Amino acid sequence: IYLGNIEGLVDKTIDHKKVINIWPNTITVEACISLASNIKGPLSNTKLAVIGMGNIGFKLALRLVESGCKTSICSSDFNSTLLTARIIDQIKPKNTISSPTPFREIMPCVADQDIIFVCTGSSLVIDEKIAKNLSENTKIFSLSNLKISEDVDKIFNEKKITFSIVDINQFYFLEVLKREIIQKSPK
């Protein structure tokens, strides 16, 4: 398992033959892309919002833009969100037409979306006002402590909005399995 900076610190005390390089943030982004693809099929023109522009939110937004999604982004700091949108525009492949749309506030960012990914490192509260602004059948996936009240849950049920926590365990298992297959296959 990849341990980030710790791997360098324990370099002389570990058996490198037993180390499996796994990057949790990359696996998390792949899990999100897989979830979205399973719902919408090809992601081109799918309307998605990413709330939180930290390490995972940034990587996810970039991958969604590269997939041709209509990607809306928002974070607690609009200047950071705006900068993130500019950076994504600069580093995306040149033939990618899609660009992220930055928002100052969550409510307009999540309005009229097919899928919403909550990638905040802190708690986020979806209140009744935001819930009423969501489209029917919206899928919400959370990577953090998303809080919803009973009233919001009722709105979700009425509008057939689903809410799930992203589980990356199967993706860890697939990385380990892939490593096993690569090691056992002829060179």
Side-chain angles (χ1 to χ4, degrees):
I1 296 175
Y2 176 74
L3 303 172
N5 295 335
I6 295 172
E7 187 178 0
L9 295 173
V10 296
D11 183 51
K12 295 186 184 350
T13 59
I14 61 173
D15 182 355
H16 288 278
K17 292 177 185 171
K18 295 181 180 178
V19 173
I20 299 172
N21 292 310
I22 296 176
W23 290 266
N25 289 349
T26 301
I27 289 175
T28 303
V29 170
E30 291 304 316
C32 292
I33 296 292
S34 179
L35 287 168
S37 295
N38 289 340
I39 291 168
K40 298 301 281 183
L43 293 177
S44 182
N45 293 320
T46 301
K47 296 178 287 185
L48 291 109
V50 179
I51 309 302
M53 287 290 103
N55 192 354
I56 293 172
F58 171 80
K59 288 176 182 178
L60 178 57
L62 174 61
R63 286 289 312 278
L64 293 170
V65 166
E66 290 173 342
S67 299
C69 296
K70 295 177 180 176
T71 308
S72 300
I73 61 174
C74 184
S75 72
S76 58
D77 178 0
F78 180 68
N79 289 331
S80 177
T81 305
L82 196 56
L83 178 61
T84 299
R86 289 182 186 145
I87 290 169
I88 289 172
D89 268 338
Q90 288 177 354
I91 64 174
K92 70 182 184 184
K94 291 182 181 11
N95 60 350
T96 302
I97 297 170
S98 184
S99 290
T101 303
F103 284 85
R104 285 185 187 276
E105 297 176 6
I106 290 174
M107 188 158 35
C109 182
V110 298
D112 196 36
Q113 300 294 332
D114 298 318
I115 300 171
I116 300 167
F117 288 102
V118 179
C119 303
T120 60
S122 59
S123 296
L124 172 70
V125 177
I126 293 184
D127 60 22
E128 290 179 58
K129 193 174 176 183
I130 292 171
K132 288 177 182 176
N133 202 39
L134 296 173
S135 299
E136 284 194 19
N137 300 311
T138 299
K139 310 292 184 221
I140 302 172
F141 295 102
S142 179
L143 299 161
S144 59
N145 296 323
L146 181 62
K147 294 188 172 129
I148 55 174
S149 67
E150 286 183 27
D151 292 332
V152 169
D153 191 43
K154 287 178 188 173
I155 295 168
F156 281 9
N157 287 327
E158 290 168 9
K159 297 177 104 179
K160 298 178 183 145
I161 295 169
T162 59
F163 164 72
S164 308
I165 302 292
V166 176
D167 180 9
I168 63 170
N169 287 325
Q170 66 186 4
F171 291 89
Y172 272 111
F173 175 73
L174 289 173
E175 285 297 314
V176 171
L177 186 61
K178 183 171 68 174
R179 166 84 177 209
E180 289 289 319
I181 291 169
I182 290 170
Q183 284 182 338
K184 291 179 181 176
S185 64
K187 300 285 186 231

